[in-house]
Amino acid sequence: MSDMVVVRKEGLYCVPGQFYIDPWRPVERAVITHGHGDHARVGHGHYLAANPGVGILRSRLGEITVQGLDYGETIEHNGVRISLHPAGHVLGSAQVRLECGGEIWVASGDYKVEGDATCTPFEPVRCHTFITESTFGLPIYRWEPQQQTFDDINAWWRKNAAEGRASLMLCYSFGKAQRILSGLDASIGPIICHGSVEPLNRVYRAAGVPLPETKMVSDVDKADIKRSIIIAPPSAGGSPWVKRFGDFSDAFASGWMLLRGARRRRGVDRGFVLSDHADWPGLMSAIKATEAERVVVTHGSIPTMVRWLCQNGLDAKGFDTEYGDDEAENAAAAGAAAEGVVAAEPDPVAQRWAVGEKADAARAAGTAEARRQVDEAGGEDADA
């Protein structure tokens, strides 16, 4: 049987169904796995997404024609049975299950296997062919339990507050920001959110996700700012917006913080390793749970994963896609505009990690760094 999903210039295309999954160019019908900008773009005629993510899509894309499906609900289009299943990545993230002629494919989008309070946990879906991401598809990437990271973040914030310094947490506006908020100890001080983060907080709350009280900086007394934690996108770090916080300690939260070079290039006081993507063991466990005989690897460390999977008895290949790294939004300009602040030039480091072709260079640099560290340590657990 020929492949049910192929790559066209517009994106991943379901051949019998005649629709696209997370297309990067405008198409008539698009099934969207989640609302990050590299997977959900403007210009499609009709969108299909998981119900919990519909509010996110409308918040980010504006007025669109979108149909929502409950997780596990099935519809049929051109003879293909379509259902959406939790991916555990961000609010409303979904895997797309496709069934036609007795063949089952699952396109996972982005996913993580560790559950958190802000989205429905990952659900393995049995299939014949599994399309998996590989953002952190190297053995060096192994995450600590998220509660340990939350404890470290709160300890850092508590120490800063005791010393009269604000805490600036740089993280991505959609998904990572809300996950960090869910783990904060609000008794330490006020929680301030950048203008690009707060609208998404409202969407999360409307979806029933419990988040602590957050404020805009204009709503916090100047004296209380010294005890606050500020949640802002990466490129806000170099903008005029942060100058109002006076003396502050800054930190960056991302899976890339596992690498010494990434922490050094970021130039922040602290790096917290927290990712909304599966680490290497998570990727391997997810693939195994599908019982798939064939695996298609997309965006990330494609050659490494394909080689590993083939060596372990699976029929594996890669798809060349235009998905970037959602762990890299350049949202400072939008947030600054929301607060009436003129944005400075974009942070060059944030630009380097932005969605698009620059993400390819970022991933290549991260891969090279990881391999170098593995070689130096003589094993796969270097600096983990």
Side-chain angles (χ1 to χ4, degrees):
M1 183 178 178
S2 59
D3 286 353
M4 193 185 306
V5 178
V6 298
V7 181
R8 289 187 170 182
K9 67 180 186 298
E10 296 86 358
L12 299 184
Y13 181 66
C14 177
V15 178
Q18 300 176 30
F19 57 83
Y20 289 84
I21 301 169
D22 293 347
W24 43 83
R25 291 185 175 88
V27 300
E28 179 56 32
R29 292 188 173 274
V31 181
I32 302 299
T33 62
H34 65 285
H36 277 133
D38 56 330
H39 290 258
R41 308 192 185 197
V42 296
H44 307 317
H46 183 275
Y47 295 74
L48 178 70
N51 267 326
V54 169
I56 291 290
L57 291 181
R58 288 188 167 133
S59 172
R60 308 200 88 191
L61 303 181
E63 290 300 319
I64 58 174
T65 301
V66 56
Q67 177 184 354
L69 276 187
D70 289 337
Y71 286 129
E73 182 182 356
T74 300
I75 62 170
E76 187 166 319
H77 184 75
N78 288 344
V80 178
R81 291 172 59 84
I82 307 166
S83 57
L84 304 178
H85 304 265
H89 177 55
V90 292
L91 179 64
S93 59
Q95 304 169 82
V96 184
R97 182 186 185 275
L98 309 169
E99 182 176 356
C100 182
E103 191 79 7
I104 300 171
W105 283 54
V106 170
S108 62
D110 291 335
Y111 65 91
K112 73 173 186 300
V113 297
E114 181 182 27
D116 73 75
T118 63
C119 61
T120 307
F122 177 84
E123 174 188 296
V125 182
R126 293 179 62 185
C127 57
H128 299 101
T129 302
F130 184 58
I131 304 176
T132 179
E133 63 143 309
S134 61
T135 303
F136 292 102
L138 290 171
I140 192 173
Y141 292 113
R142 298 166 186 267
W143 313 143
E144 298 288 348
Q146 66 178 353
Q147 188 56 54
Q148 180 174 327
T149 304
F150 290 156
D151 291 344
D152 290 344
I153 291 172
N154 284 318
W156 166 74
W157 177 21
R158 190 176 294 109
K159 180 177 183 294
N160 291 335
E163 295 173 353
R165 304 175 72 198
S167 301
L168 175 64
M169 172 59 75
L170 300 173
C171 59
Y172 306 107
S173 303
F174 169 37
K176 186 69 60 62
Q178 292 73 34
R179 188 176 174 198
I180 288 175
L181 285 170
S182 74
L184 292 181
D185 178 357
S187 69
I188 298 172
I191 302 173
I192 298 171
C193 284
H194 187 270
S196 66
V197 176
E198 191 59 31
L200 292 161
N201 294 343
R202 291 194 288 269
V203 176
Y204 268 69
R205 291 187 178 105
V209 177
L211 296 176
E213 180 185 5
T214 55
K215 298 180 179 181
M216 304 292 279
V217 62
S218 56
D219 298 326
V220 179
D221 292 339
K222 190 171 183 179
D224 289 335
I225 287 178
K226 295 180 179 181
R227 299 185 299 109
S228 68
I229 187 169
I230 303 102
I231 308 296
S235 51
S239 72
W241 184 78
V242 301
K243 294 180 180 178
R244 67 187 70 188
F245 302 115
D247 181 31
F248 62 82
S249 175
D250 56 359
F252 191 87
S254 170
W256 300 114
M257 291 298 100
L258 188 66
L259 300 179
R260 287 189 296 263
R263 294 197 296 268
R264 183 174 61 253
R265 286 190 297 272
R266 232 335 132 174
V268 292
D269 297 331
R270 289 290 302 271
F272 294 102
V273 180
L274 187 69
S275 177
D276 293 329
H277 294 260
D279 60 3
W280 176 265
L283 290 166
M284 295 301 110
S285 67
I287 292 168
K288 183 178 180 180
T290 68
E291 301 182 12
E293 300 161 356
R294 300 179 65 204
V295 180
V296 179
V297 182
T298 68
H299 58 301
S301 302
I302 296 175
T304 299
M305 276 191 59
V306 168
R307 183 169 60 251
W308 176 270
L309 294 170
C310 288
Q311 289 173 349
N312 284 272
L314 291 173
D315 178 7
K317 68 176 182 177
F319 271 172
D320 185 16
T321 69
E322 293 188 16
Y323 304 132
D325 178 11
D326 60 83
E327 297 221 342
E329 295 179 24
N330 187 8
E339 299 187 12
V341 178
V342 177
E345 289 296 316
D347 175 4
V349 181
Q351 281 191 313
R352 176 181 173 275
W353 288 30
V355 167
E357 64 274 8
K358 293 175 185 176
D360 297 334
R363 281 195 300 276
T367 299
E369 176 94 10
R371 286 174 176 161
R372 181 186 64 77
Q373 292 186 36
V374 170
D375 291 342
E376 286 180 356
E380 65 183 25
D381 291 323
D383 200 32

